[in-house]
Amino acid sequence: MPELIPISLVAHQAFCPRRAWLEAMGEKTDTHQVEIGTQAHTPADDPTRSRARRYRAVDVISHDLGVTGRCDTVELDENAAMTIVEHKATPVRRRPEVTEPMRIQVALLAGALADMGYPVSGQAIYFTNHHTRVDVPLTPADRALARDRVADTARTLAAEQAPPPLDDDRRCSRCSHISVCLPDERPLTPVTRRIVVADPDTQVLHLTTPGSRAYITRGRIEVSKSGEKLGTFPIERVQGVVVHGNVDLSGGLIRELLWRSLSVVWCTSSGRVTGWARAAQGPNGGPRLLQHVASQHGRIDLARQFVATKVANQATLLRRHGDAPTAVTRLRELQREALDSPSLTNLFGIEGDAAARYFAHFLTMLRPKVVATEGLTFSTRTRRPARDPINAALNFCYGLLTADVLRAVVACGLDPHAGFLHSSGRNKPALALDLVEEFRAPIADSVVLNAFNNGEIHTRDFSTALGTTRIGERGRKALITGYERRVTGTFRHPIFGYDVTWRRAMEIQARLVLGVIDRTQPDTKASKPDEP
């Protein structure tokens, strides 16, 4: 028996085939648009609000039409005939007009109810914003069109490749999938018609106080320690949670975060990512399989872009804030060499050469007075354990960046472990680390430089024992504050030409990688790394 198609997908197919595909892939829509739709359906989605002759959230099915769905409201007249009423949210500036997708939706709902043996006498759309009800009479042509749209949806879902995005179409301006579809970004050229989606008023919650505990109560995340309440935050404003060191999360809070598809990342007190949790259901299961195949066979084109962009950003930061013109010139040469690298081995050599030259002049980007006053030294890059305050601060900020990129990768439905530059065989989040390379200099390195140069952190915020340097609680909080200030700040995108936050740019990069994997993105040669 063929699988039944949700009626909502058929309506999306009538609006835009790519939207139906994205919805079927499990892509989450824009938060602001979801909230509008949720508010419209809140009364209709609760079966307990049903009354005599008025039923809420009625499930329907039709094997003849091949669909399944849910009626928002079903009203009965004195003869027990049914009228279907669908609830829709419409922006205030738009008129309450019945569109073709709405007409197709009520036609399929009416057909499914009739196939279940219930008489249907009418259909209507109730526009919640305008408090207006519009009757929708159906003709045989409407019912035939609805059947055709079901067949179209079945072909879309069975296709191996996603439908192309709409080209300069006004429908994109009111589509809740604009932030994941990226219709104007696909050609990898400057965007002349930018559609701006509302930024959700959400933030990443960092839990840093050792021995504290976070839990959920009455829709708020509360943090306490030894009976003292340290803070309280509405969960609707939380985009994700990062746990630093010895902080406990209640089972109820973890469950609520995962139910809302919000990720949780656990880090050590020094910033190393130790694990993360995400919801069991995620988007793009099919492309995720293609990702593993591509990772196994290798994608040197993607690896070149990761390294070339990393080197380009290092050269830009050093040129703007340092004093090493010869090193900057060589970094630009290495950037170009990376784009033509014949193998991963050669690419790693280029990356290592660039890193050595960049970090050899890292101290020149700090104010001489700060270096002298704080007694800062930096001879080479050391990961863990860090040997000096600068390396300890860099390690911590790289951990914050990795947590952000992990969220971006997971939001796209990609597997953080299947990478193209870093080896998946080392049991590390290889793809996340691939994307981290592009953002190390403009985000993490920039945060550390600003923190020292502006006096936000000092050497007294670090402790050294047996040659190992660790960052203290005050230093961690200062770096987290600086990091959040940086990633929520905006810059002009070097390819698309519009302003975007650094955190949003991470997801855009992840979605461009997704486009390469599922073959909806042009050849990566069309994109050249440039200065941020």
Side-chain angles (χ1 to χ4, degrees):
M1 180 180 297
E3 186 175 354
L4 298 175
I5 299 175
I7 292 176
S8 60
L9 287 187
V10 183
H12 291 160
Q13 170 77 22
F15 182 81
C16 169
R18 184 173 176 83
R19 177 172 177 176
W21 170 279
L22 292 172
E23 187 77 13
M25 290 294 103
E27 287 283 13
K28 298 295 183 181
T29 55
D30 173 62
T31 304
H32 178 70
Q33 296 281 2
V34 168
E35 289 176 354
I36 293 175
T38 301
Q39 292 169 4
H41 284 85
T42 297
D45 286 342
D46 187 359
T48 62
R49 295 195 178 189
S50 298
R51 298 292 184 268
R53 298 189 178 279
R54 175 174 292 180
Y55 299 96
R56 306 283 195 182
V58 178
D59 293 321
V60 297
I61 187 172
S62 172
H63 292 286
D64 177 50
L65 294 171
V67 296
T68 182
R70 171 175 289 187
C71 301
D72 290 341
T73 304
V74 174
E75 300 175 346
L76 277 68
D77 61 18
E78 53 275 3
N79 298 319
M82 298 183 173
T83 297
I84 299 171
V85 182
E86 284 297 294
H87 293 233
K88 299 295 181 184
T90 303
V92 176
R93 293 183 179 180
R94 287 182 55 212
R95 291 181 295 177
E97 295 179 344
V98 177
T99 62
E100 179 182 298
M102 296 178 190
R103 186 176 293 273
I104 289 173
Q105 182 176 4
V106 295
L108 292 174
L109 291 171
L113 268 178
D115 288 349
M116 294 168 65
Y118 300 104
V120 179
S121 60
Q123 306 77 214
I125 301 293
Y126 178 71
F127 295 95
T128 56
N129 299 67
H130 295 82
H131 303 288
T132 301
R133 173 168 169 161
V134 179
D135 290 331
V136 185
L138 296 176
T139 66
D142 292 327
R143 295 183 175 89
L145 178 62
R147 281 185 176 272
D148 292 340
R149 289 295 186 227
V150 173
D152 293 340
T153 306
R155 286 190 290 269
T156 295
L157 301 185
E160 295 183 357
Q161 187 170 325
L166 300 177
D167 183 19
D168 195 18
D169 195 294
R170 62 190 298 269
R171 283 175 288 178
C172 293
S173 63
R174 60 180 187 269
C175 179
S176 60
H177 281 76
I178 181 70
S179 61
V180 299
C181 178
L182 302 179
D184 292 344
E185 286 83 350
R186 292 296 172 180
L188 296 180
T189 57
V191 174
T192 56
R193 176 188 65 102
R194 178 61 182 158
I195 301 170
V196 181
V197 295
D199 288 331
D201 184 20
T202 56
Q203 298 176 342
V204 173
L205 177 61
H206 294 268
L207 303 175
T208 63
T209 304
S212 61
R213 182 174 186 269
Y215 50 93
I216 184 78
T217 176
R218 295 185 179 93
R220 301 180 70 89
I221 298 177
E222 295 190 356
V223 185
S224 63
K225 179 181 180 180
S226 302
E228 178 186 358
K229 185 178 294 186
L230 303 180
T232 176
F233 316 92
I235 195 168
E236 287 81 5
R237 295 191 59 190
V238 174
Q239 181 179 350
V241 175
V242 181
V243 182
H244 300 267
N246 183 26
V247 179
D248 289 334
L249 301 186
S250 71
L253 175 57
I254 296 175
R255 182 173 60 251
E256 182 70 16
L257 291 169
L258 297 183
W259 182 83
R260 292 172 178 264
S261 296
L262 301 177
S263 60
V264 186
V265 181
W266 282 269
C267 302
T268 64
S269 58
S270 62
R272 181 170 59 89
V273 174
T274 57
W276 62 90
R278 61 178 181 180
Q281 293 183 335
N284 298 315
R288 191 158 56 248
L289 294 176
L290 297 177
Q291 175 195 356
H292 282 274
V293 174
S295 176
Q296 174 67 25
H297 290 89
R299 288 296 301 261
I300 187 66
D301 54 339
L302 287 173
R304 289 176 185 141
Q305 292 292 327
F306 295 139
V307 173
T309 304
K310 175 185 180 180
V311 176
N313 289 335
Q314 288 176 331
T316 297
L317 194 66
L318 189 58
R319 176 181 63 80
R320 290 179 178 175
H321 305 287
D323 184 18
T326 302
V328 171
T329 300
R330 181 53 184 156
L331 287 174
R332 292 298 183 194
E333 294 173 354
L334 291 172
Q335 169 193 342
R336 291 187 287 272
E337 291 177 16
L339 290 172
D340 298 320
S341 178
S343 66
L344 279 179
T345 301
N346 181 261
L347 202 55
F348 286 133
I350 293 173
E351 181 187 26
D353 188 3
R357 295 174 185 274
Y358 170 71
F359 285 113
H361 300 279
F362 194 84
L363 271 183
T364 67
M365 292 187 283
L366 291 170
R367 295 175 181 173
K369 182 178 180 180
V370 172
V371 174
T373 302
E374 298 290 339
L376 294 174
T377 59
F378 186 85
S379 57
T380 185
R381 174 80 180 102
T382 57
R383 291 174 173 81
R384 291 179 174 83
R387 300 301 183 186
D388 54 75
I390 293 179
N391 272 300
L394 287 173
N395 289 343
F396 185 78
C397 288
Y398 289 156
L400 297 178
L401 178 59
T402 302
D404 259 338
V405 174
L406 276 169
R407 273 192 300 276
V409 169
V410 170
C412 300
L414 296 173
D415 189 338
H417 284 92
F420 306 99
L421 175 64
H422 292 82
S423 172
S424 302
R426 297 181 63 188
N427 294 325
K428 292 185 176 182
L431 179 60
L433 295 177
D434 288 352
L435 286 168
V436 161
E437 300 296 350
E438 301 182 332
F439 295 97
R440 286 186 189 272
I443 297 182
D445 295 0
S446 179
V447 169
V448 172
L449 292 172
N450 287 334
F452 277 108
N453 283 332
N454 297 337
E456 297 172 4
I457 58 173
H458 304 274
T459 52
R460 62 175 178 269
D461 297 320
F462 300 81
S463 61
T464 301
L466 301 177
T468 298
T469 300
R470 293 183 174 87
I471 187 171
E473 183 176 356
R474 182 191 175 281
R476 284 197 299 272
K477 291 182 178 179
L479 286 177
I480 290 173
T481 300
Y483 178 86
E484 285 297 319
R485 185 169 60 243
R486 180 63 172 169
V487 293
T488 56
T490 61
F491 72 103
R492 185 164 294 275
H493 199 284
I495 296 177
F496 306 131
Y498 54 72
D499 290 343
V500 63
T501 66
W502 284 102
R503 184 167 274 149
R504 171 63 179 160
M506 297 177 200
E507 184 174 342
I508 290 176
Q509 289 297 94
R511 292 199 176 279
L512 294 180
V513 172
L514 171 63
V516 172
I517 293 171
D518 67 10
R519 299 186 296 276
T520 61
Q521 189 65 44
D523 192 334
T524 55
K525 292 181 179 179
S527 171
K528 297 291 184 181
D530 203 350
E531 297 185 8

